[in-house]
Amino acid sequence: MSPSVPLQEMIRAIRSARTQCEERGVIQRECAAIRAQFRQADNGGRSHNLAKLLYVHMLGYPAHFGQMECVRMIASPRYSEKRVGYLGAMMLLDEKQDASLLITNSIKNDLSNSNQYIQSLALCTLACMGSAEMCRDLAPEIDRLLRASNSYIKKKAALCAVHIVRKVHDLGELFTKAARSLLTEKNHGVVHGAVVLITELCERNSETLERFRKTVPDLVQIMKGLVISGYSPDHDVAGISDPFLQVRILRLLRILGRNNEAASDAMNDLLAQVATNTDSTKTVGNAVLYETVLTVLDIKSESGLRVLAVNILGRFLLNNDRNIRYIAMTSLQKIVGTDHNAVQRHRGTIVDCLKDQDASVKRRALDLSLALVSASNIRSMMKELLSFLSSCPPELRSQTASGIFNAAERYAPSQRWHIDTILHVLTTAGGDVRDETVPNLIQLITNTSELHCYTVHKLYRALLSDISQQPLVQVACWCIGEYGDLLLRGECQETEPVQVTEDDVLDVLETVLQSHMSSPSTRGFALTATMKLSTRITENVDRIRSIVSIYGSCIDVELQQRAVEYNALFKKYDHMRAAVLERMPVIEKNSQGHINGETIKESQTVKVKPGEPQQPPNQVCDLLDLLGGSEQPLQPSPALGSTAPPMPVSTANTVGGDLLDLLGGLEPTPITPVATVTVYEKDGVTVTLSCEKQSDSGLTVTLTASNSTESDIRGFTLQAAVPKSVQLHMKAPSGDSLPARGAAKVTQMVVLNNPNKVNLKMRLRISYTSQGSAVQDTVQIDSFPGLGQ
Amino acid sequence: MFALVANQKVVRDWPCFGVVLGGSFLPRGGYTVLLFKMQFMLLFSRQGKLRLQKWYVPLSDKEKKKITRELVQTVLARKPKMCSFLEWRDLKIVYKRYASLYFCCAIEDQDNELITLEIIHRYVELLDKYFGSVCELDIIFNFEKAYFILDEFLLGGEAQETSKKNVLKAIEQADLLQEEAETPRSVLEEIGLT
């Protein structure tokens, strides 16, 4: 085909422009000429002009004045003009432009043109930019073309129908019959189009899906033909016969075989054959294998086939080609929940991929490694993850840090290891950890009373070397304030003790206070820690007094307030000082409030500022001050000490301090369990439900039963039923008797796994014996609190 | 800040996402709908100049420009030995460099990346056969033909013909048709008599 001379001249002119300004000049001139030409009557160069305009458009210059010209060109009888006109329509007119409606009639006419290349132009344009209205108008035409035309047009009509169905789902009904008959054609293009169309129809409508299940044997036949047949020069790619068609058929089989035993059985042999016979030395073979693996893992395949699929993924993991490794990990990620053991076998390779150069591969490897951590491999995995953390790209650090915390929380083999790990993360990536890390760590430390000495020594040493990582400094200050006496005692079983004097310790805290690297909250920690030491050291109390009074005039209001209050503690309330600043009690682990995600809003009624658990005694002190002093003994109640939920929640939970609640009474206020729903309440028997998301598809449901009647209940059992695809595992209940008047409760944990993410429902059967008679009742639970749907 | 707002606007305006906010999953009947669709294909040079853009989703010019700019920057920043796949917004980008041109396709979440690589390769082979050892200049000076070839290979984002021979034959025929339509005029034009 001869090139368009005017077009090429213009392109040359534009390219020879040496500056942007020059280029703009050339383009402006050309556009002016083009505009003038458009206004003239029909001349021979119309297609060239439009082509020029399209080039200019691709360079990024405005070309909307060409829209009407496109419409006119499409209506022209000449093929050359139609061709460029349709191209222009696809580039300049999309469904948002009003002008696009104007071409509907032209398209309609061209669809019935006697020349197949003109029909082809219309079909291509409709499939590329057809709006919903245009699709509705022209759908019957497309259906006609699907039935009564040559292969060239049929294959295009099929894909055009796909576009129509995507735009207007209801029109799928129209094409179902035609699609079915197209499957029997010989032409690969037509069969390919038919398979794509059927896939689209089945995805949109479950009834259609049922109907097309019958085609599974036909599809298997076609596929077999492709796999076994000899060399076909037309469709061969590196020894694979028509890989594009193979992949589409496999995909359709996947959709038809999902959740259906019969269909899955029918395709078992074929999938095994494809999996074993496909040559995997080139990308194209791997593409087919990949699709096969995805299909096997998604349908109800027999276990042997599943193992075969996972092994293929394992082989992919060892492939030299980075692309193949990447997609292997993507696929393994999808099945790590359900086929955990199979994936575990490849853990070594996956962990090696953490060291890959490519950021995408690293990300995949990280996700998968975190999913593979278990109680048995925690130590070795953690070593790898920690070394990854020190060298990983910055965008992955936060995710790695929280993944490590999660894993440590679940599988820590010992407390000391747990604390060490968290400290390691704080020293390496302190800036990227979440806000809750500090209170969580403090809670952990407080609860590990035997390691207080060890912890404070470690933190002291860490503080000596580096005071820039704020979370670490905050925890260190808190510890030194709490356990400074252990530090000064100079003996420690777990680690080599430091020989420090009181001055050394106070020096460190003062450095933190004065350093420009310390954030305001860190300085708050340091000041409070200094204050606490006043009861734990013997000689340098005066020094503390002077530090505290200096900060009484600090510009930072928070620090100033604290300093003033501590001053007051020294002066007027010296008799209370020892009691106020005594050791914190063991903080109760708030396990009932353990839910990740959105539902955190519904959590505890008693809220305490996280990160400053040592505040409450002093706050109470202030309140009492406001009230004019009180003789009440200041017992820091456990409730006050409770902090936000222990584990890194996915949403940063900044819970504000609720002083009024503290004021309301110094008795421990019970923390309301998060999002509990009463699912059954009858005859004095109440069953409540709370749930906790463990992973993407895993859920732990806790059922609690209580009895408020006057007589004891015996033989209390709960049975549960869930939808078919959900896996259920009931743990042993805490007991089977409910004493009267709610003296004790029975709890039962149920672990659910919902890999297909179906709408979760549970039917609960409650049976018990009360006053000699057996009672049985059923209740259906349709919504689960805290699932965030 | 502004970029973030614009980002959201793009996702909201894409009608294929119109049914569900943001994601590409329509929970139906208890399992996810698998969406396979090529959203767009871009060809650009190593200097970031666009040589071909084919969009299969309706977007305003402004949005297209923004996406193009960002994507070109992201792909050009990749080092040579890196993976051909990257996750960008909520799409998967499959790209491959042939000489001085980057071929870049955006596919949806469930699509098969490897077969997309094959589609890109097939297109390059078609161009090569048509132009005879194709180079970037061929695509610059004959961009409309590059489009015609693409439109004979892909329709609505899906492969329409899996045989190389058939695609090339169809292009040949269409070209002949164009010649016939133009011939009576073009001779006169060349001598300057119109």
Side-chain angles (χ1 to χ4, degrees):
Chain A
M1 183 180 116
S2 51
S4 157
V5 173
L7 171 64
Q8 299 206 331
E9 274 177 11
M10 183 194 81
I11 296 178
R12 246 184 290 267
I14 294 175
R15 282 171 65 81
S16 57
R18 274 160 302 176
T19 63
Q20 183 78 335
C21 189
E22 225 181 292
E23 180 183 290
R24 258 195 299 251
V26 173
I27 292 193
Q28 266 175 1
R29 274 198 305 277
E30 289 287 345
C31 282
I34 293 170
R35 251 191 279 237
Q37 298 270 6
F38 283 169
R39 267 173 283 178
Q40 280 181 17
D42 180 23
N43 54 38
R46 275 170 75 189
S47 51
H48 301 299
N49 282 326
L50 189 55
K52 282 198 231 176
L53 183 60
L54 294 179
Y55 183 81
V56 163
H57 171 76
M58 188 155 58
L59 289 178
Y61 295 90
H64 43 270
F65 58 88
Q67 287 177 5
M68 286 316 292
E69 186 67 12
C70 291
V71 177
R72 259 172 287 172
M73 298 267 278
I74 288 173
S76 154
R78 294 197 6 223
Y79 180 72
S80 52
E81 293 181 356
K82 266 198 208 288
R83 212 180 187 195
V84 183
Y86 273 115
L87 180 63
M90 285 191 272
M91 286 175 77
L92 300 178
L93 296 172
D94 56 48
E95 62 180 48
K96 294 184 191 226
Q97 313 291 339
D98 298 325
S100 63
L101 285 174
L102 298 171
I103 63 174
T104 316
N105 220 23
S106 298
I107 295 183
K108 193 170 191 164
N109 291 337
D110 285 337
L111 282 176
S112 342
N113 196 298
S114 52
N115 187 316
Q116 66 177 13
Y117 296 104
I118 293 182
Q119 286 178 305
S120 152
L121 289 175
L123 285 166
C124 183
T125 310
L126 183 60
C128 180
M129 47 76 73
S131 66
E133 273 175 56
M134 286 164 75
C135 289
R136 254 187 274 264
D137 276 339
L138 299 167
E141 281 297 306
I142 304 297
D143 185 48
R144 193 179 54 80
L145 288 172
L146 272 178
R147 297 162 197 274
S149 50
N150 59 35
S151 319
Y152 181 72
I153 293 300
K154 266 199 261 221
K155 74 181 189 218
K156 293 182 191 255
L159 291 177
C160 204
V162 171
H163 175 84
I164 292 176
V165 173
R166 282 178 181 157
K167 273 273 182 272
V168 186
H169 303 327
D170 305 326
L171 288 173
E173 303 276 318
L174 191 58
F175 301 118
T176 317
K177 234 174 132 197
R180 179 74 185 82
S181 56
L182 286 178
L183 263 188
T184 51
E185 301 254 341
K186 289 275 171 266
N187 182 301
H188 279 229
V190 177
V191 177
H192 185 273
V195 171
V196 177
L197 179 57
I198 295 174
T199 311
E200 196 67 34
L201 293 171
C202 291
E203 283 285 68
R204 304 278 170 193
N205 188 318
S206 43
E207 281 161 22
T208 321
L209 176 65
E210 291 296 327
R211 263 188 283 171
F212 274 110
R213 282 232 174 83
K214 302 190 206 98
T215 62
V216 169
D218 298 324
L219 291 167
V220 168
Q221 263 318 100
I222 300 174
M223 194 64 191
K224 273 214 174 96
L226 290 172
V227 173
I228 306 177
S229 74
Y231 178 72
S232 146
D234 271 356
H235 301 104
D236 182 272
V237 180
I240 313 261
S241 188
D242 207 338
F244 304 106
L245 182 57
Q246 286 197 25
V247 165
R248 291 322 293 247
I249 293 182
L250 285 167
R251 217 176 267 174
L252 180 55
L253 286 174
R254 175 157 38 140
I255 291 168
L256 294 175
R258 257 199 299 202
N259 294 330
N260 186 298
E261 297 268 356
S264 304
D265 280 338
M267 53 181 89
N268 235 328
D269 287 340
L270 169 73
L271 292 171
Q273 196 170 26
V274 177
T276 35
N277 285 353
T278 309
D279 174 24
S280 60
T281 47
K282 296 263 173 63
T283 308
V284 64
N286 286 327
V288 175
L289 277 175
Y290 179 42
E291 196 70 39
T292 315
V293 166
L294 290 178
T295 303
V296 168
L297 294 176
D298 217 3
I299 64 172
K300 293 198 172 299
S301 46
E302 51 177 45
S303 58
L305 194 54
R306 256 188 121 77
V307 168
L308 185 58
V310 178
N311 285 345
I312 292 179
L313 289 178
R315 269 202 339 256
F316 277 2
L317 270 181
L318 298 167
N319 196 304
N320 282 330
D321 189 345
R322 202 171 255 132
N323 293 338
I324 310 280
R325 288 209 296 274
Y326 175 88
I327 56 149
M329 285 196 281
T330 317
S331 318
L332 287 171
Q333 185 79 40
K334 292 191 196 139
I335 58 165
V336 73
T338 43
D339 298 75
H340 191 91
N341 292 330
V343 184
Q344 277 284 6
R345 250 178 268 139
H346 303 287
R347 186 164 44 94
T349 327
I350 293 169
V351 165
D352 281 336
C353 287
L354 281 172
K355 305 188 190 91
D356 198 297
Q357 303 281 358
D358 190 309
S360 320
V361 174
K362 272 209 215 322
R363 187 190 298 266
R364 292 270 143 260
L366 175 66
D367 284 341
L368 211 43
S369 303
L370 289 174
L372 287 177
V373 174
S374 72
S376 46
N377 58 35
I378 180 71
R379 282 189 197 265
S380 49
M381 285 298 277
M382 195 51 79
K383 259 195 234 118
E384 298 286 346
L385 287 169
L386 287 173
S387 77
F388 176 68
L389 184 64
S390 39
S391 60
C392 77
E395 62 267 15
L396 289 177
R397 282 173 115 191
S398 171
Q399 192 185 350
T400 317
S402 46
I404 290 177
F405 286 149
N406 257 328
E409 163 85 0
R410 290 167 84 178
Y411 304 113
S414 74
Q415 302 273 41
R416 179 172 154 173
W417 181 94
H418 194 175
I419 291 177
D420 279 343
T421 309
I422 298 188
L423 289 181
H424 192 145
V425 174
L426 287 180
T427 20
T428 340
D432 297 294
V433 297
R434 297 224 177 83
D435 295 338
E436 313 83 65
T437 317
V438 171
N440 291 340
L441 181 55
I442 288 177
Q443 182 174 32
L444 182 64
I445 292 174
T446 330
N447 293 348
T448 324
S449 38
E450 62 274 15
L451 288 175
H452 285 167
C453 191
Y454 168 74
T455 316
V456 73
H457 273 91
K458 267 210 106 157
L459 285 168
Y460 179 74
R461 284 208 185 88
L463 206 57
L464 281 178
S465 51
D466 175 21
I467 58 169
S468 63
Q469 305 272 36
Q470 296 306 298
L472 186 61
V473 174
Q474 288 174 3
V475 177
C477 288
W478 189 88
C479 274
I480 293 176
E482 270 296 297
Y483 310 119
D485 48 329
L486 296 176
L487 190 63
L488 292 165
R489 213 181 295 162
E491 52 185 50
C492 179
Q493 287 178 325
E494 309 270 341
T495 181
E496 177 147 338
V498 284
Q499 303 300 334
V500 285
T501 64
E502 296 176 357
D503 270 318
D504 294 330
V505 179
L506 288 172
D507 280 341
V508 163
L509 287 175
E510 247 189 306
T511 320
V512 174
L513 263 174
Q514 291 163 353
S515 164
H516 62 278
M517 287 191 282
S518 304
S519 71
S521 51
T522 311
R523 295 168 83 192
F525 269 91
L527 188 61
T528 310
T530 314
M531 184 60 191
K532 279 201 219 168
L533 281 178
S534 69
T535 48
R536 288 156 176 73
I537 61 177
T538 47
E539 292 161 15
N540 283 358
V541 187
D542 285 330
R543 184 174 166 186
I544 296 182
R545 249 189 264 259
S546 60
I547 294 176
V548 164
S549 56
I550 290 174
Y551 278 87
S553 44
C554 173
I555 285 188
D556 186 313
V557 176
E558 172 69 29
L559 280 180
Q560 189 190 107
Q561 180 175 358
R562 288 188 195 204
V564 165
E565 287 160 8
Y566 295 157
N567 245 333
L569 202 55
F570 267 124
K571 301 209 168 74
K572 280 209 291 181
Y573 296 97
D574 205 39
H575 55 284
M576 280 197 219
R577 188 161 52 90
V580 169
L581 299 175
E582 73 179 8
R583 267 272 206 285
M584 289 287 288
V586 171
I587 300 170
E588 253 174 41
K589 203 154 186 170
N590 190 7
S591 55
Q592 277 185 306
H594 190 150
I595 283 195
N596 285 337
E598 306 89 341
T599 55
I600 221 66
K601 299 188 268 289
E602 302 155 47
S603 61
Q604 314 102 24
T605 50
V606 177
K607 298 174 195 172
V608 177
K609 251 201 210 132
E612 295 166 28
Q614 75 278 30
Q615 275 303 329
N618 308 318
Q619 282 177 339
V620 171
C621 185
D622 310 333
L623 292 170
L624 293 176
D625 227 1
L626 288 172
L627 295 173
S630 151
E631 296 311 306
Q632 271 184 307
L634 296 165
Q635 295 295 332
S637 50
L640 301 180
S642 310
T643 54
M647 265 339 285
V649 254
S650 47
T651 55
N653 183 16
T654 47
V655 193
D658 199 345
L659 291 174
L660 290 176
D661 241 346
L662 294 173
L663 184 57
L666 292 175
E667 330 85 51
T669 319
I671 315 258
T672 353
V674 181
T676 311
V677 174
T678 307
V679 294
Y680 176 80
E681 197 165 348
K682 202 169 156 189
D683 299 328
V685 177
T686 318
V687 178
T688 62
L689 176 150
S690 73
C691 51
E692 215 176 286
K693 231 173 180 303
Q694 300 292 357
S695 68
D696 206 26
S697 62
L699 187 69
T700 307
V701 171
T702 311
L703 299 159
T704 316
S706 63
N707 165 21
S708 62
T709 64
E710 293 296 311
S711 47
D712 296 340
I713 281 178
R714 266 174 267 284
F716 184 86
T717 49
L718 289 167
Q719 289 167 300
V722 287
K724 240 186 173 174
S725 62
V726 181
Q727 294 146 16
L728 172 100
H729 175 64
M730 292 193 88
K731 302 241 167 118
S734 63
D736 74 340
S737 61
L738 286 170
R741 289 178 229 102
K745 296 189 195 236
V746 163
T747 47
Q748 177 148 27
M749 288 240 293
V750 182
V751 180
L752 297 171
N753 191 17
N754 184 5
N756 293 336
K757 301 223 182 41
V758 303
N759 206 10
L760 199 55
K761 297 190 210 291
M762 192 192 290
R763 195 164 286 167
L764 206 60
R765 180 185 288 173
I766 301 152
S767 5
Y768 59 88
T769 313
S770 169
Q771 293 176 315
S773 51
V775 178
Q776 205 182 74
D777 215 340
T778 320
V779 65
Q780 173 135 335
I781 305 161
D782 289 315
S783 69
F784 285 74
L787 269 192
Q789 299 283 15
Chain B
M1 250 319 123
F2 180 73
L4 256 164
V5 173
N7 236 348
Q8 289 164 353
K9 187 172 183 296
V10 171
V11 176
R12 253 189 274 125
D13 281 348
W14 287 4
C16 56
F17 289 92
V19 186
V20 174
L21 291 166
S24 40
F25 294 113
L26 300 145
R28 279 180 36 102
Y31 53 86
T32 52
V33 166
L34 306 178
L35 291 181
F36 317 100
K37 186 181 158 78
M38 185 187 298
Q39 299 223 347
F40 56 84
M41 182 190 278
L42 301 174
L43 263 73
F44 50 90
S45 70
R46 275 197 294 172
Q47 287 76 42
K49 282 218 119 100
L50 202 58
R51 299 298 176 207
L52 187 144
Q53 49 172 338
K54 189 77 189 180
W55 298 83
Y56 295 108
V57 284
L59 291 167
S60 73
D61 254 357
K62 206 165 128 202
E63 286 159 347
K64 285 185 195 168
K65 280 207 191 129
K66 184 163 192 296
I67 293 176
T68 309
R69 206 176 35 235
E70 278 179 34
L71 198 52
V72 167
Q73 255 175 13
T74 313
V75 173
L76 286 178
R78 305 268 291 178
K79 299 198 204 64
K81 287 286 171 76
M82 288 174 98
C83 202
S84 280
F85 316 125
L86 59 104
E87 283 137 44
W88 183 80
R89 301 204 186 169
D90 50 358
L91 291 172
K92 293 207 269 214
I93 305 293
V94 179
Y95 74 93
K96 192 144 186 227
R97 195 180 125 203
Y98 288 86
S100 58
L101 269 183
Y102 282 89
F103 287 70
C104 190
C105 284
I107 56 177
E108 289 185 358
D109 203 49
Q110 297 288 332
D111 232 335
N112 181 329
E113 296 97 319
L114 294 177
I115 206 74
T116 312
L117 271 179
E118 286 301 311
I119 287 186
I120 292 177
H121 191 74
R122 174 57 65 92
Y123 181 48
V124 174
E125 283 179 331
L126 289 168
L127 289 170
D128 196 54
K129 223 22 197 287
Y130 183 84
F131 287 109
S133 268
V134 67
C135 64
E136 192 183 342
L137 281 177
D138 289 319
I139 300 188
I140 295 171
F141 281 93
N142 300 284
F143 75 97
E144 81 277 22
K145 289 184 208 133
Y147 274 102
F148 295 149
I149 296 172
L150 185 62
D151 286 339
E152 208 50 59
F153 174 44
L154 300 178
L155 199 92
E158 306 279 355
Q160 56 176 291
E161 179 58 67
T162 53
S163 151
K164 231 190 307 187
K165 200 174 73 173
N166 289 348
V167 177
L168 291 167
K169 222 177 8 179
I171 303 269
E172 224 181 274
Q173 295 292 333
D175 282 350
L176 269 172
L177 201 57
Q178 177 153 353
E179 292 267 352
E180 283 169 20
E182 285 183 333
T183 315
R185 288 269 179 163
S186 61
V187 174
L188 291 173
E189 272 180 66
E190 304 239 290
I191 349 178
L193 277 183
T194 350

